[in-house]
Amino acid sequence: MILINSSLKNASKIFQPFLPIFVPVGIGYLSITAEREGIKSRIIDEQVEDDVLGLVKEYVKGMEKPYIFGFSVLTAALKNAILISKELRKLYPDSIILFGGIHPTALPEEVLTFDHIDAVIRGEGEKALVEFYKCVKEGEDFTHIDNLSFKKNGQILHNKMSFDSGSLDSYPAFPYHLFTSKRYDFGFVVSSRGCPYRCIFCSNRVTTGRRYRFRSAEAIIEELDLLYNRYNKKYILFLDDNLLVNKDRI
């Protein structure tokens, strides 16, 4: 499986000042979760890689068909994600093309109007992606998976959204080691996900369903220690959807 963080290079000039090069956090969590389940994946970040098709050609040499290409897509990167995925379908016609991320979650029908895109995973994707991969590789039907949108008999169908309410400590820690070959800033921690509010300007209520979950203080301290002592980070950005939901926790 190859996970592709869609490029922002061709984004509108309106977006570009707000979209610096940053570690693809979502894909990082997807990759390490898949690895824990025995699924090998490769990551391609179009922010820092120019020859995406060349990298795909190299990576698929060690993979069994059908190849699964998963795209993480922001609105600003949708155009380029469509272009690259079309090329991949031409080069690997029996591959499976899957979109996820904020834009496909909010507008799955728009994404699935493109003939070459097979399915969309809406919301948090860790559990759905692992289940989807296993179904595809074992030749089983995947149309029962929660959070999945797909096409069947000319129709676009949407399975129910399932929002995980379990502890984030059950997820593997973020795999900073997967991104050491590039010049990313590792000075960040994700200590919680979600937000209980429904502000009209925010997409969070769509992606996490107003669920709020957080990691233990012990897990955060362990991660801060790693960033300070191994990666020499002195300043840390908390990438929570809403860091200040729970005053006592802070």
Side-chain angles (χ1 to χ4, degrees):
M1 176 168 61
I2 297 179
L3 302 174
I4 300 172
N5 185 50
S6 298
S7 174
L8 307 177
K9 293 175 183 175
N10 297 331
S12 164
K13 291 182 179 179
I14 296 174
F15 289 111
Q16 285 175 347
F18 307 101
L19 298 171
I21 293 175
F22 204 81
V23 175
V25 177
I27 275 185
Y29 276 115
L30 292 174
S31 180
I32 196 64
T33 302
E35 181 181 307
R36 188 174 65 175
E37 297 294 323
I39 299 170
K40 293 183 179 180
S41 65
R42 300 299 296 264
I43 293 173
I44 299 176
D45 184 3
E46 291 189 69
Q47 296 177 104
V48 296
E49 302 287 358
D50 293 320
D51 187 12
V52 174
L53 298 179
L55 284 173
V56 170
K57 183 178 179 180
E58 184 65 27
Y59 290 163
V60 297
K61 290 178 181 179
M63 296 181 176
E64 294 182 358
K65 294 183 178 180
Y67 306 136
I68 298 175
F69 301 119
F71 286 78
S72 179
V73 187
L74 295 172
T75 299
L78 179 65
K79 181 178 179 180
N80 205 57
I82 297 297
L83 292 174
I84 294 293
S85 57
K86 278 185 177 179
E87 288 300 312
L88 289 176
R89 174 49 56 82
K90 291 177 184 176
L91 292 169
Y92 310 100
D94 56 348
S95 63
I96 303 294
I97 299 200
L98 183 66
F99 271 39
I102 295 175
H103 190 94
T105 294
L107 296 169
E109 294 209 8
E110 177 195 52
V111 172
L112 289 171
T113 57
F114 294 93
D115 293 338
H116 67 285
I117 300 174
D118 298 297
V120 164
I121 290 180
R122 311 187 317 275
E124 295 181 8
E126 285 94 342
K127 291 183 178 180
L129 180 63
V130 168
E131 190 174 359
F132 183 88
Y133 178 93
K134 291 180 177 179
C135 287
V136 169
K137 292 299 182 178
E138 295 170 7
E140 298 179 358
D141 179 48
F142 56 74
T143 59
H144 64 282
I145 299 173
D146 286 353
N147 297 22
L148 195 72
S149 295
F150 57 94
K151 289 174 281 195
K152 186 175 183 179
N153 299 326
Q155 289 187 313
I156 296 175
L157 304 176
H158 308 286
N159 290 348
K160 69 174 183 177
M161 283 288 283
S162 176
F163 297 103
D164 194 346
S165 57
S167 170
L168 289 182
D169 284 343
S170 65
Y171 286 67
F174 186 81
Y176 297 97
H177 63 278
L178 295 181
F179 302 95
T180 54
S181 62
K182 302 297 178 184
R183 294 183 178 179
Y184 295 108
D185 182 358
F186 285 170
F188 70 89
V189 165
V190 179
S191 76
S192 68
R193 290 187 187 182
C195 176
Y197 306 113
R198 51 184 307 135
C199 302
I200 194 170
F201 57 81
C202 182
S203 65
N204 192 269
R205 66 189 189 280
V206 176
T207 55
T208 62
R210 297 175 64 194
R211 268 68 169 183
Y212 174 68
R213 297 175 293 150
F214 55 85
R215 299 166 62 200
S216 67
E218 291 79 6
I220 301 306
I221 293 300
E222 184 176 343
E223 200 157 301
L224 291 172
D225 183 74
L226 172 75
L227 291 171
Y228 181 81
N229 288 300
R230 182 180 298 182
Y231 298 112
N232 196 34
K233 295 301 174 184
K234 307 294 175 59
Y235 300 94
I236 302 296
L237 172 66
F238 280 78
L239 286 182
D240 298 39
D241 298 309
N242 187 344
L243 179 64
L244 304 177
V245 168
N246 187 322
K247 182 178 178 180
D248 290 338
R249 169 178 178 264
I250 295 301

